[in-house]
Amino acid sequence: MKIIQLQLYVLICCRAAVSDQLTDLGSNVTINCDLDENEVYWILLKTPDPPTVILRSFLPPKSPFYLNNAFSKKYSVIFKHRLVINNVTSDELGVYYCMKTGTPPKLSKSTRLHFTESTQLTECYNHTIECHNHTVVEFIDRNQTQWQIIIIISALMNGLLLIVLIGLVKVFVVGNRRSTEESQINPDLQQSQVIEEHDLQYATMDFSKLRRNIRPSQINSTYAALNLPKS
């Protein structure tokens, strides 16, 4: 609840006088607190984010209390609640306040921390290079994806073409095999037909010879034998 009140106090008093403090990337910065109190809160305001309570500072020998353990690697406190920022990056830029809670709360003069012009140019240049590299990486990834799609489509088409060729070869081989079998069967069939016709002709010839050799007496006797009265 007290943290919420602190944030509200900062939002109400954020229009107080602000002093600028320049720094370079990677430098160590010390920000003074003009409040003569036993304990204070250090607060960072970065627009448009809500205020961030960094730590609670006490008089020596009591150590500061960090509301987030990650802040202990970046911030520390020295004599008279002065805040030390180690290895400044763009994440630490903003407006800093030291504040005493109470009714009414006491708020020190705010300090706006920002980079020097040369550092800003360097940051802008690095950001441009980073954006350019990011764009190049995206372009390469996009091209790689397109090539992968083309390779997959080409492989599918080649596989389909191979299947069609295999089917055509099978059809051709089966057709040739059937033609060969039919060519082997036809001579045998023709030969059997010739033999049957020859046998038929031979039988006809023998029967005609047989009719010439039969005598009329044999024909009558045979007829008489067939017409014998039944007993």
Side-chain angles (χ1 to χ4, degrees), residues 10 24 58 79 141 148 165 194:
V10 172
D24 293 324
F58 306 95
F79 183 66
D141 291 341
Q148 289 175 354
L165 290 176
V194 170

Side-chain angles (χ1 to χ4, degrees), residues 195-210:
I195 293 172
E196 289 176 356
E197 291 177 357
H198 182 268
D199 293 339
L200 182 60
Q201 292 175 0
Y202 181 77
T204 303
M205 292 174 64
D206 289 345
F207 181 74
S208 61
K209 291 179 181 179
L210 181 62

Side-chain angles (χ1 to χ4, degrees), residues 73-219:
K73 299 178 181 179
K74 182 63 62 173
Y75 299 97
S76 60
V77 178
I78 57 177
F79 183 66
K80 290 186 177 181
H81 306 301
R82 288 187 294 177
L83 181 68
V84 178
I85 308 173
N86 302 310
N87 190 18
V88 176
T89 65
S90 58
D91 293 334
E92 287 77 56
L93 300 183
V95 181
Y96 287 85
Y97 299 87
C98 71
M99 181 178 182
K100 169 64 178 177
T101 59
T103 306
K106 293 181 180 180
L107 190 69
S108 69
K109 294 180 180 179
S110 59
T111 301
R112 180 186 293 113
L113 184 66
H114 56 88
F115 288 142
T116 59
E117 184 176 354
S118 60
T119 304
Q120 291 178 356
L121 291 175
T122 303
E123 281 287 301
C124 181
Y125 176 75
N126 292 336
H127 181 70
T128 303
I129 293 177
E130 183 179 354
C131 291
H132 176 71
N133 293 336
H134 182 68
T135 303
V136 171
V137 170
E138 286 185 348
F139 178 76
I140 293 174
D141 291 341
R142 192 181 301 112
N143 285 343
Q144 287 180 348
T145 303
Q146 292 176 354
W147 276 110
Q148 289 175 354
I149 294 173
I150 292 173
I151 291 173
I152 292 173
I153 294 174
S154 177
L156 292 175
M157 293 181 66
N158 290 334
L160 181 61
L161 180 60
L162 181 60
I163 292 172
V164 172
L165 290 176
I166 293 174
L168 292 175
V169 170
K170 286 185 177 180
V171 171
F172 180 76
V173 171
V174 172
N176 288 340
R177 185 179 300 169
R178 288 180 179 176
S179 299
T180 304
E181 292 176 354
E182 290 177 356
S183 63
Q184 292 176 355
I185 293 172
N186 287 334
D188 296 336
L189 182 60
Q190 292 176 359
Q191 186 177 1
S192 62
Q193 291 177 353
V194 170
I195 293 172
E196 289 176 356
E197 291 177 357
H198 182 268
D199 293 339
L200 182 60
Q201 292 175 0
Y202 181 77
T204 303
M205 292 174 64
D206 289 345
F207 181 74
S208 61
K209 291 179 181 179
L210 181 62
R211 289 185 62 185
R212 293 193 191 102
N213 295 327
I214 296 176
R215 297 176 182 177
S217 60
Q218 293 178 345
I219 294 175

